[in-house]
Amino acid sequence: MSYLEIRGGRPLSGRVRVQGAKNSALPILAAALLAPGESAIRNCPRLTDVSATLDILRLLGCRVEREGDEVRVDAACLERRDIPHSLMREMRSSVIFLGALLARLGEAELSYPGGCELGPRPIDLHLASLRALGAEIREEQGALLARAGRNGLRGREICLSIPSVGATENVMLAACGAEGTTTIVGAAREPEIEDLQGFLRCLGARVSGAGSPVVTVTGGAPLHPGEYRVMGDRIAGATYLCAAAAAGGEVELSGLDPGTLTAVLDCLERAGCEVHTGGEILSLTARGHLRGIGAVRTAPYPGFPTDAQAILMAALAGGEGSTLFVENMFDSRYHHVDELRRMGAEIQVAGRAAMVTGAGRLRGAEVRSADLRGGAALAVAGLGAEGITRVTGLPHIRRGYEDLARDLRRLGADVREIPG
Ligand code: EPZ
C-alpha cells in the first residue's frame, strides 16, 4: 500500500500554482451534457473524482478527450440516460447528472447515491425541487427513475430549506431544460456555483444571481457548446496555507482568487500568520507557534468551509492555546482526530464540538486517511511535527488532490510518495 513519507519540523518556502477546483469541475462536466457539440473545459484537475465523471460521460455516449489541463466533451450523440450503480458508487456527487439528463433527454435513471465517510448524505432537497419543476421520480430498489412530466419541465419558484450546494446545482441544470423562469430562493452561495453559472452562460443559458441567495434561470432555449476555464481550488489552497502555518516559513500561491478564502484567511491571521494578497499572488508567512483562535464554526459560504475544518485543526493542534471547532455541516467529520492524537494532539470531541488544546509540537507517527480532507490534514500535521510521519489511505487523497506530495515539495516540504 503506497504512502506519503513526510519529514517534518522544517519551515516551508516556495510558490505553487493551485489546481483547478474539484467542486467546480464536477458540476461543469455534468453540465456539458446540456449542449449538443464539443465543449472545452480548461484548468480541469486530474483527480479520481474527475476521472469517474469522465467515465460516466463516455458511458452516456459522449466523446471525451483530455489534452493537458483541457478536457473536451462532445455531447452531440447521447446513447443512454442511465448510470449503473458501479459508477454511481464511485462518487455520490454524480447525483448532479439527474438534473443534466432531465434537461437534455427528459429522463434519467441512476442508483441512489449512498452515504459516505462523512455520514448520511440525503438528497431529499434535490428530489423535492426536481419534482416541483415537473419531474416524475420513482424510487425503486435503490434506483431513481426520473422523467419529465407530460408537460415537460416547467420553471417556477423553488425554495431550498438548506443552502445545499448540490441541490442548487441540480436545479440550475434542470431549469435550463424547463420552459419559463425558475427562481431558486435560499440557493447556496459558494464560488463554485458562480463558476457553474459562468459555464452555463458560455453555453447560451440565461442564468443570473449565482453567489447570492437567489438564482434565476430562464430555460427552454437550445444551448450550444462553449469553452470555459475552471476556477482555482480554494480548499487545495487552504491546504497549502495551513501546511505553511503548521511548519512555519513563507509560501506564495497562484491560480486562485483570495476572495474565495476570506474565512480561512481570517482564522490564519488570528492564529498569528501574516497574509498578503497582491494581484494573482496570495502569500502567507508563519513564524513561531500558532495561537488558539477561540471558536471555528463550519457554515455555508461565506462562512468557514467544512472542507477546511480538518486541515485547520491539524495546523492548530501543533500550536499553543485552545480552539473550539463546531462541525455544523456533516454528522461524521472528525475521523482525523484519532489519527492526530497518535501524533500527540490533545483533542476532546463531544458530538459536533471538538476542543483542540495546542500541544506545542506534534510527533511524527504512522497515520491513516479515512476521508479526503482528513487525509490532507494528516499531511499538514506531519509537516509541523518533529520526525517522520507516514500517511496511508492515499486513494482518499487522490479524489481531491492531483499530486499532494508534488505540490508540497514545490513549497519546500520534504514529502515523498512511496509506492507500495
Ligand atoms: C458539496 O457537497 C461539496 N461536494 C462538499 O465537498 C462540501 O463539503 C459541501 O458541498 C458543503 O460545502 C461537491 O461539491 C462535489 P450540501 P454537497 O448539499 O452538495 C444537507 C469535498 O471534500 N442536505 O451543500 O453534497 C447535507 O446533509 C466535499 O470536496 C440535505 O439535508 O453538500 C449537509 O448537512 C465533501 N438534503 C448540508 O445539507 C439534501 O437534499 C450541506 O450539504 C442535500 C443536502
Side-chain angles (χ1 to χ4, degrees):
M1 171 167 49
S2 57
Y3 59 89
L4 292 182
E5 184 170 87
I6 300 160
R7 195 178 304 278
R10 337 150 35 125
L12 301 189
S13 173
R15 175 185 289 196
V16 70
R17 179 165 193 79
V18 175
Q19 67 188 43
K22 166 176 89 79
N23 292 348
S24 185
L26 297 181
I28 284 176
L29 287 166
L33 282 181
L34 298 181
E38 184 176 83
S39 292
I41 293 116
R42 286 194 288 279
N43 201 28
C44 191
R46 291 174 181 280
L47 309 169
T48 52
D49 272 8
V50 168
S51 302
T53 301
L54 300 185
D55 289 345
I56 289 172
L57 289 170
R58 290 188 183 98
L59 175 121
L60 294 172
C62 297
R63 192 164 47 79
V64 177
E65 288 170 356
R66 178 186 273 273
E67 198 173 322
D69 80 355
E70 178 176 288
V71 168
R72 288 191 297 277
V73 179
D74 186 338
C77 314
L78 294 190
E79 293 149 7
R80 292 177 63 161
R81 76 239 187 298
D82 65 307
I83 302 174
H85 179 66
S86 57
L87 286 182
M88 279 301 294
R89 188 181 51 200
E90 286 282 301
M91 187 181 59
R92 57 166 309 285
S93 54
S94 307
V95 68
I96 187 69
F97 280 96
L98 197 51
L101 286 167
L102 277 171
R104 175 74 190 275
L105 299 177
E107 53 183 351
E109 184 179 326
L110 38 90
S111 67
Y112 219 95
C116 70
E117 309 85 8
L118 307 183
R121 302 289 294 275
I123 59 167
D124 56 303
L125 298 177
H126 298 242
L127 301 182
S129 302
L130 295 175
R131 285 175 171 134
L133 292 179
E136 295 165 3
I137 304 177
R138 295 197 331 268
E139 302 165 51
E140 278 174 13
Q141 284 108 29
L144 291 169
L145 309 170
R147 64 187 186 139
R150 200 176 30 261
N151 302 324
L153 299 179
R154 308 197 67 76
R156 54 163 291 172
E157 181 172 282
I158 299 286
C159 290
L160 291 179
S161 55
I162 298 173
S164 157
V165 171
T168 301
E169 292 165 346
N170 235 335
V171 176
M172 286 169 72
L173 299 194
C176 288
E179 271 309 316
T181 297
T182 296
T183 305
I184 308 169
V185 178
R189 297 169 54 191
E190 272 70 3
E192 292 78 17
I193 306 280
E194 291 187 72
D195 228 23
L196 178 60
Q197 172 177 278
F199 177 67
L200 291 173
R201 284 177 171 171
C202 283
L203 304 185
R206 291 167 58 191
V207 191
S208 60
S212 85
V214 181
V215 175
T216 303
V217 180
T218 300
L223 301 182
H224 54 73
E227 299 195 356
Y228 192 75
R229 181 177 181 79
V230 171
M231 64 180 273
D233 192 312
R234 58 195 173 99
I235 306 302
T239 306
Y240 306 139
L241 294 173
C242 288
E250 184 167 343
V251 298
E252 293 184 339
L253 305 188
S254 64
L256 86 166
D257 171 3
T260 61
L261 267 176
T262 308
V264 175
L265 297 178
D266 174 60
C267 288
L268 289 170
E269 287 182 304
R270 282 158 51 205
C273 300
E274 280 175 44
V275 172
H276 295 285
T277 56
E280 228 244 327
I281 301 295
L282 168 58
S283 66
L284 177 139
T285 304
R287 291 191 188 87
H289 283 295
L290 296 178
R291 299 189 290 264
I293 56 173
V296 178
R297 296 177 180 81
T298 66
Y301 194 88
F304 188 88
T306 175
D307 295 347
Q309 175 256 106
I311 295 159
L312 179 65
M313 183 185 290
L316 294 176
E320 293 170 346
S322 302
T323 299
L324 173 68
F325 284 84
V326 184
E327 174 51 66
N328 294 308
M329 304 300 286
F330 291 111
D331 295 338
S332 177
R333 201 162 200 176
Y334 286 138
H335 296 299
H336 48 284
V337 168
D338 281 343
E339 301 304 298
L340 291 175
R341 285 177 178 145
R342 290 167 55 81
M343 301 174 71
E346 294 173 28
I347 306 172
Q348 300 303 320
V349 174
R352 290 184 176 276
M355 174 59 86
V356 178
T357 304
R361 175 72 77 184
L362 299 182
R363 301 181 306 275
E366 313 265 333
V367 288
R368 184 176 58 82
S369 313
D371 60 65
L372 163 55
R373 306 304 176 182
L378 297 176
V380 166
L383 289 168
E386 284 303 333
I388 305 283
T389 297
R390 293 187 177 86
V391 182
T392 56
L394 299 195
H396 289 293
I397 297 177
R398 290 197 188 97
R399 286 190 46 222
Y401 296 86
E402 281 189 333
D403 188 337
L404 185 58
R406 172 201 69 192
D407 287 352
L408 291 173
R409 278 199 302 276
R410 286 176 180 165
L411 295 177
D414 184 344
V415 189
R416 293 183 303 148
E417 183 169 329
I418 311 294

